[in-house]
Amino acid sequence: MRIASALFVVVLAVPVVAWAAQDHPVGYKDTPFLPDGKWRVHDIDRPAPPVITPGDGTAPPSDAVVLFDGKSLAAWKSGDKDAAWTLVDGAMEVNGTGSLETRESFGDLQLHLEWASPAKVEAESQGRGNSGVFLMGRYEIQVLDSFENRTYSDGSAASLYGQKPPLVNACRKPGEWQTYDIFFKAPRFDGEKLATPGVVTVVHNGVVVQNAEPFLGATQHRALATYAAHPATGPIVLQDHGNPVRYRNVWVRKL
Ligand code: MG
């Protein structure tokens, strides 16, 4: 049996060694051009992607702009004033002082944040743990306590408010931390005319709930969203809707 096994290994090993000895060039210059006309398939001269250090589930990646680290509201303002949400247990909590907007502006982005609706359930429908993430200050991904809380579907957690419900309801219980990972391609305008709509993918607690979904326009309440031309970048806004929703671990990467 042992001899048979040894023979088997040798026979198997020969093609493996032959394969490993082959050349593995890092690229080619004799392949067809890709549609952009700039780079060939497997082009040896195409620049390598920048090296970053990825996050580990809690720490942000090395190329992220940290918007809230649990301690400082410095990245945010509220109208013309400094942000004044309450700092509590490494989170910032809505307290009726107004919505927060980033001092910096963003266009295409990857945004990570964690939120928790109030542990004490006090109202229903849109009155329960309502907040929101407005991309470019205009396009809202709804934040709401949608755990056993019926409301209009295009206003539930992770909806494009007033436009598109999430594919599923992935909400955790009131008071529990939840994650949003948002991937956004900003709208493009040709003068005053819309060229391409804003498109968003939203991952809620690890589940894709909006899959490359186009925004119909800037978020409206009880009205149809429409586009109006605006600058290529805008602030991220967290909504103060009067409910003490908490946020933590907020970071963004410009794309
Ligand atoms: Mg809202």
Side-chain angles (χ1 to χ4, degrees):
M1 279 300 283
R2 258 186 211 165
I3 291 167
S5 297
L7 274 173
F8 180 71
V9 167
V10 168
V11 168
L12 246 190
V14 169
V16 170
V17 169
W19 174 80
Q22 281 175 6
D23 278 347
H24 291 85
V26 296
Y28 299 86
K29 286 312 273 183
D30 60 354
T31 44
F33 274 101
L34 291 162
D36 64 9
K38 213 167 146 194
W39 304 111
R40 295 173 181 276
V41 174
H42 314 314
D43 201 313
I44 194 167
D45 294 325
R46 195 164 188 172
V51 175
I52 63 143
T53 306
D56 62 1
T58 51
S62 61
D63 61 345
V65 176
V66 175
L67 296 174
F68 181 64
D69 63 359
K71 293 178 272 223
S72 171
L73 297 174
W76 305 85
K77 59 180 181 156
S78 189
D80 294 335
K81 290 181 278 196
D82 289 341
W85 285 8
T86 307
L87 287 169
V88 52
D89 298 335
M92 54 179 177
E93 184 177 285
V94 176
N95 60 4
T97 57
S99 298
L100 298 195
E101 65 180 275
T102 52
R103 293 181 187 276
E104 196 171 347
S105 282
F106 304 92
D108 298 350
L109 60 75
Q110 173 185 357
L111 173 64
H112 172 89
L113 58 84
E114 298 166 25
W115 61 272
S117 56
K120 190 171 171 220
V121 174
E122 291 196 304
E124 58 190 21
S125 186
Q126 294 291 303
R128 186 167 144 187
N130 195 337
S131 183
V133 181
F134 283 76
L135 303 168
M136 311 189 92
R138 293 171 174 84
Y139 309 105
E140 184 183 15
I141 312 295
Q142 174 70 311
V143 169
L144 192 81
D145 177 3
S146 281
F147 186 84
E148 297 175 356
N149 176 31
R150 181 67 182 138
T151 188
Y152 43 84
S153 297
D154 65 12
S156 54
S159 63
L160 311 192
Y161 184 81
Q163 304 179 28
K164 180 71 169 51
L167 295 167
V168 294
N169 179 347
C171 234
R172 297 196 206 280
K173 290 177 181 168
E176 293 186 4
W177 282 104
Q178 318 206 32
T179 58
Y180 275 179
D181 288 282
I182 296 170
F183 311 91
F184 179 59
K185 181 114 176 161
R188 272 29 176 200
F189 296 92
D190 184 5
E192 292 302 302
K193 216 177 109 242
L194 179 70
T196 55
V199 174
V200 74
T201 293
V202 179
V203 178
H204 183 191
N205 295 327
V207 176
V208 173
V209 292
Q210 302 284 356
N211 185 16
E213 193 64 33
F215 276 100
L216 300 175
T219 298
Q220 300 264 11
H221 177 54
R222 302 188 66 178
L224 189 62
T226 54
Y227 278 103
H230 57 72
T233 63
I236 297 163
V237 171
L238 298 180
Q239 185 183 41
D240 182 339
H241 204 282
N243 303 142
V245 174
R246 293 182 177 188
Y247 289 91
R248 72 179 185 191
N249 199 16
V250 186
W251 51 261
V252 62
R253 295 179 62 249
K254 296 177 185 180
L255 300 177

